[in-house]
Amino acid sequence: GITTKTNISDSTITNNNFIANNRAIYFADGSDDGFTSSVRNTISNNNFFDNTNTAILLARGDQVSADNNVISNNNIKGITTSTLNGITLDGGRYNVIDNNVIIGVVDGIEITGGGVGYADYNNITNNDLINNSQGIRLDGADYAYLELNKIEFMNQIGINLLSSSYSTFHDNHIVGAGQQGIKVGMSPTQATSNNNLFYRNNFLANADSAIDYGNNYWNTTSEGNFWQDFNEGGEGCVDVNINGFCDAGYDINTGGASTTPEQATGVDHFP
């Protein structure tokens, strides 16, 4: 594959086939001062098949992030038993991850922080994530924007927010997760993800649609989410006034975590 331990900036990697590598593309900071990183690169229209480690890994330097990169229109297919992640940003801000297809890996898309502000303001849009262990995993990544992703048949979790706050999630399609469609926070005693907004997402045939250990918003002032387990009268969804929304709110599983009522945590008021 392509591995560098010096900063790479303003480059384009496109229209390649990466087959049976360890890491296919790995940008790692190896400078002595640790103040450099990879910025403004474009990785697009590549095919990644049967690589045994993360297909695309961009890592930050000690004092800076891997910023303003675009990763788009790539096809990544892993070996389920050994492939790690599809796309990993180990620290990175203002990156765009768009329109990729990622099949058969551990984490489809992973963004980790490693420091305050090192992994903020990333856009993850229009990706198809299929048959992975987890679809999207954010840890130490705030102010993210996730839109129009299809996350289908994850063995575990569709979107896992270990530590991600002030992010927006809308118009994502999450179906067939073996555990939760979305998991927000680490545990009932670790409310590590707060002040996120979820609306117009579709939750279909997940073992548990969502669990929220923090204080988050599950609707705007006029729109909530679609929950397959709460769309009929027998499930509690009754629309007497025929306005297109259930008259009762949808209670999010809080896993026993304490909540803040004024933030309407744990309830979608416009399901």
Side-chain angles (χ1 to χ4, degrees):
I2 299 173
T3 298
T4 176
K5 290 189 176 181
T6 59
N7 62 307
I8 299 294
S9 298
D10 301 299
S11 66
T12 299
I13 301 174
T14 188
N15 297 315
N16 300 285
N17 293 319
F18 296 88
I19 302 172
N21 297 279
N22 183 15
R23 291 188 177 102
I25 297 176
Y26 180 29
F27 291 176
D29 173 65
S31 62
D32 292 333
D33 59 21
F35 282 82
T36 59
S37 194
S38 298
V39 298
R40 298 183 305 276
N41 298 289
T42 298
I43 301 171
S44 64
N45 297 294
N46 300 287
N47 295 311
F48 301 82
F49 298 132
D50 298 336
N51 299 287
T52 58
N53 208 315
T54 298
I56 302 172
L57 171 56
L58 275 58
R60 66 177 180 86
D62 290 342
Q63 304 295 326
V64 295
S65 299
D67 297 345
N68 296 293
N69 299 285
V70 176
I71 303 173
S72 64
N73 300 297
N74 299 286
N75 293 312
I76 300 173
K77 185 175 182 179
I79 305 171
T80 304
T81 56
S82 59
T83 301
L84 290 182
N85 299 334
I87 298 170
T88 292
L89 301 182
D90 182 12
R93 301 169 299 183
Y94 304 104
N95 297 288
V96 174
I97 302 175
D98 177 69
N99 205 39
N100 301 283
V101 177
I102 304 175
I103 303 172
V105 299
V106 176
D107 294 339
I109 297 170
E110 177 192 41
I111 301 179
T112 60
V116 176
Y118 278 133
D120 295 349
Y121 301 104
N122 292 292
N123 286 2
I124 303 174
T125 57
N126 295 292
N127 299 284
D128 287 352
L129 309 172
I130 304 167
N131 287 328
N132 307 301
S133 292
Q134 299 187 110
I136 298 171
R137 180 178 182 271
L138 303 182
D139 188 2
D142 296 335
Y143 301 100
Y145 181 80
L146 279 72
E147 175 190 22
L148 295 170
N149 298 287
K150 293 181 180 179
I151 304 171
E152 300 178 334
F153 308 113
M154 300 300 110
N155 294 328
Q156 298 176 15
I157 302 169
I159 298 175
N160 190 1
L161 308 183
L162 291 175
S163 179
S164 179
S165 299
Y166 302 101
S167 297
T168 299
F169 304 78
H170 72 87
D171 292 287
N172 299 288
H173 181 79
I174 306 171
V175 57
Q179 295 178 11
Q180 293 90 22
I182 290 183
K183 180 182 178 184
V184 187
M186 293 184 181
S187 73
T189 58
Q190 292 178 294
T192 50
S193 297
N194 299 288
N195 297 298
N196 297 291
L197 173 62
F198 305 90
Y199 67 97
R200 281 207 315 258
N201 301 289
N202 294 318
F203 295 88
L204 307 172
N206 302 292
D208 184 7
S209 293
I211 189 165
D212 182 2
Y213 295 127
N215 293 297
N216 297 283
Y217 302 92
W218 291 91
N219 54 263
T220 67
T221 57
S222 61
E223 294 179 291
N225 303 276
F226 177 81
W227 310 91
Q228 189 182 30
D229 58 348
F230 193 74
N231 68 336
E232 298 177 356
E235 297 166 336
C237 178
V238 179
D239 185 10
V240 174
N241 58 3
I242 317 177
N243 66 350
F245 299 101
C246 306
D247 296 335
Y250 178 80
D251 292 329
I252 310 298
N253 180 4
T254 60
S258 60
T259 62
T260 306
E262 57 268 27
Q263 289 192 320
T265 296
V267 179
D268 179 349
H269 290 276
F270 296 99

